[in-house]
Amino acid sequence: METLKTGTDVFFILIGAILVFAMHAGFAFLEVGSVRKKNQVNALVKIISDFAVSTIVYFFIGYQIAYGINFFNTAEMISGIGESSPFTANGYDMVKFFFLLTFAAAIPAIISGGIAERSRFKPQLLATAILVGFLYPVFEGMVWNDLMGFQDWLSATFGHPFHDFAGSVVVHTVGGWMALGAIVMLGARTGRYRKDGTPLGIPPSNIPFLALGSWILCIGWFGFNVMSAGEVSTSSGLVALNSLMAMAGGILSSLYIGKQDPGFIHNGALAGLVAVCAGSDLMHPLGALIVGLVAGAIFVKMFTICGNRWKIDDVLGVWPLHGICGVWGGISAGIFGSQTFWGLGGVSIMSQIIGTFVGALFAFASGLLVFGLLKITIGIRLSKEDEYLGADLSIHRISATPEEDFGLR
């Protein structure tokens, strides 16, 4: 029976890993549809290359920092015995590594959308290695493995630890605020703002690809959230229903506030899902709906303010979508997860506020540090000529439609 249980758990978490892995195709096509045609190939190559780099650094460094799992204890690896051997429990630690890797690799995928169309390729891969291998696992371990006694301190001080069931803060807030640091270091795209500072609109290149990316992300998100339980015995249909309600809320509010703009609508769905991750296991479905409605409104308003008023050239709006909606998600778990607002309880609003803002500040400082150091050492931005030509031709030497370019059709 124990073997059956562990085997079932391995299969359960493997399906979750595959669903979240598929979300990276969503990240790719969301970016492909949002950037100009001359940068579409680069968007596709960045996401898959970042995933490969993330896999290696998280396997060798990051996973051990966050969870203390050592894949290189030779005696235990060979014998398959011992409490810390990855071969025990049907290799559960190995498949859980795959699952959590897909979360970690979302960090550079988020950043990629913010710095699109003007970032150099190899320095971005180096930034991915540093962030996923060394910095992201620190906060991940603090929240999900009580690294440095962070959760114990919050429990002792405020009665409950910081609750982030599926990563509103650990993944999305951290990714969004790291992206903001990168965007600040890179600066705006050439031509994004006129000489007098007024914004020049750059429309998406392909709405169907943008919509496809959103759909893939929405579908995979149910693996992202539900399978965060880690075991079949602790999985809950409440998480799935809350995810659905928050997604619907994000769509409806962005539909109304965004005046039927397809970019806002498809990202509004993601805004609701970002926000509900933290408290999806605690909230009443009505609470999740409210969380999604607010998140959709946040995205539409903040995307407009950031780009037009604050002159933050965030191509896909990843800071409003992941960074700010992730902050709302962390705090809303303390509000709508409480019994006062129909939740299951067991959360502290102060722990949620502190945990959320520690994550945001840590991530923003990390993004500024890594991209700032790369900027002053090897450079992180394409030349004006390469940016004008487009990342596809200047970096990859091929466009998204080479037959058309050479008149072969």
Side-chain angles (χ1 to χ4, degrees):
M1 290 300 294
E2 182 63 27
T3 301
L4 178 62
K5 178 187 180 303
T6 56
T8 303
D9 288 339
V10 165
F11 185 71
F12 174 75
I13 204 74
L14 174 61
I15 296 301
I18 292 169
L19 284 168
V20 185
F21 180 35
M23 290 175 69
H24 289 264
F27 282 120
F29 278 96
L30 191 70
E31 185 171 336
V32 168
S34 300
V35 299
R36 285 170 287 187
K37 187 177 178 181
K38 62 183 179 180
N39 296 297
Q40 291 179 330
V41 172
N42 182 243
L44 294 169
V45 175
K46 282 190 301 178
I47 300 298
I48 198 167
S49 300
D50 278 332
F51 193 92
V53 171
S54 298
T55 300
I56 300 304
V57 297
Y58 197 65
F59 180 79
F60 282 98
I61 304 167
Y63 196 58
Q64 186 166 352
I65 291 174
Y67 301 102
I69 300 296
N70 183 2
F71 289 121
F72 303 100
N73 185 322
T74 307
E76 290 190 354
M77 285 289 287
I78 293 173
S79 66
I81 59 175
E83 292 184 0
S84 61
S85 172
F87 283 136
T88 59
N90 296 74
Y92 180 80
D93 283 330
M94 293 179 174
V95 77
K96 189 172 183 181
F97 159 79
F98 181 19
F99 182 63
L100 291 169
L101 159 69
T102 60
F103 281 50
I107 300 298
I110 292 168
I111 295 171
S112 175
I115 63 176
E117 299 200 315
R118 76 273 203 199
S119 62
R120 292 177 60 205
F121 183 58
K122 291 180 181 178
Q124 183 178 338
L125 292 181
L126 180 56
T128 293
I130 297 169
L131 293 171
V132 176
F134 297 94
L135 294 173
Y136 164 77
V138 173
F139 187 71
E140 178 188 18
M142 288 169 61
V143 175
W144 287 340
N145 195 39
D146 197 28
L147 194 66
M148 298 184 286
F150 180 66
Q151 293 285 36
D152 284 343
W153 173 73
L154 288 173
S155 296
T157 307
F158 302 108
H160 296 287
F162 173 58
H163 187 87
D164 189 4
F165 179 71
S168 284
V169 177
V170 173
V171 179
H172 298 288
T173 298
V174 168
W177 284 82
M178 283 181 174
L180 178 62
I183 292 164
V184 169
M185 288 294 106
L186 269 165
R189 288 168 289 175
T190 303
R192 177 65 174 88
Y193 301 100
R194 299 182 179 92
K195 291 183 179 180
D196 62 359
T198 56
L200 180 65
I202 301 177
S205 63
N206 193 308
I207 295 297
F209 276 162
L210 186 157
L212 175 64
S214 175
W215 274 105
I216 295 171
L217 284 164
C218 288
I219 293 167
W221 222 295
F222 288 86
F224 194 100
N225 284 0
V226 175
M227 272 72 169
S228 287
E231 298 177 356
V232 173
S233 61
T234 55
S235 62
S236 172
L238 177 65
V239 177
L241 180 56
N242 282 342
S243 301
L244 190 65
M245 295 296 283
M247 182 189 75
I251 293 170
L252 293 175
S253 61
S254 59
L255 172 67
Y256 176 73
I257 299 172
K259 300 178 180 178
Q260 298 86 51
D261 182 285
F264 285 145
I265 294 166
H266 286 93
N267 278 286
L270 308 181
L273 287 163
V274 164
V276 82
C277 287
S280 56
D281 62 327
L282 299 177
M283 296 178 185
H284 187 281
L286 289 177
L289 176 61
I290 295 170
V291 168
L293 287 167
V294 172
I298 288 173
F299 173 73
V300 173
K301 291 297 185 182
M302 291 306 301
F303 181 87
T304 305
I305 291 171
C306 290
N308 295 344
R309 188 181 303 173
W310 294 346
K311 307 297 187 294
I312 298 172
D313 188 15
D314 181 349
V315 181
L316 269 68
V318 298
W319 181 49
L321 178 61
H322 298 275
I324 301 176
C325 289
V327 167
W328 162 238
I331 295 172
S332 67
I335 300 171
F336 293 99
S338 68
Q339 293 180 338
T340 304
F341 291 94
W342 329 296
L344 298 179
V347 287
S348 161
I349 187 62
M350 284 306 301
S351 291
Q352 294 305 116
I353 292 171
I354 291 172
T356 297
F357 281 97
V358 166
L361 290 172
F362 172 80
F364 184 49
S366 297
L368 287 174
L369 175 65
V370 171
F371 282 90
L373 288 174
L374 292 175
K375 180 179 181 178
I376 63 177
T377 52
I378 62 176
I380 56 176
R381 180 154 184 159
L382 291 173
S383 67
K384 287 186 178 180
E385 294 77 9
D386 285 345
E387 186 180 346
Y388 177 79
L389 182 63
D392 292 358
L393 293 178
S394 63
I395 296 174
H396 308 290
R397 305 292 186 263
I398 192 168
S399 74
T401 55
E403 288 185 339
E404 288 183 356
D405 296 338
F406 290 96
L408 298 177
R409 284 192 174 183

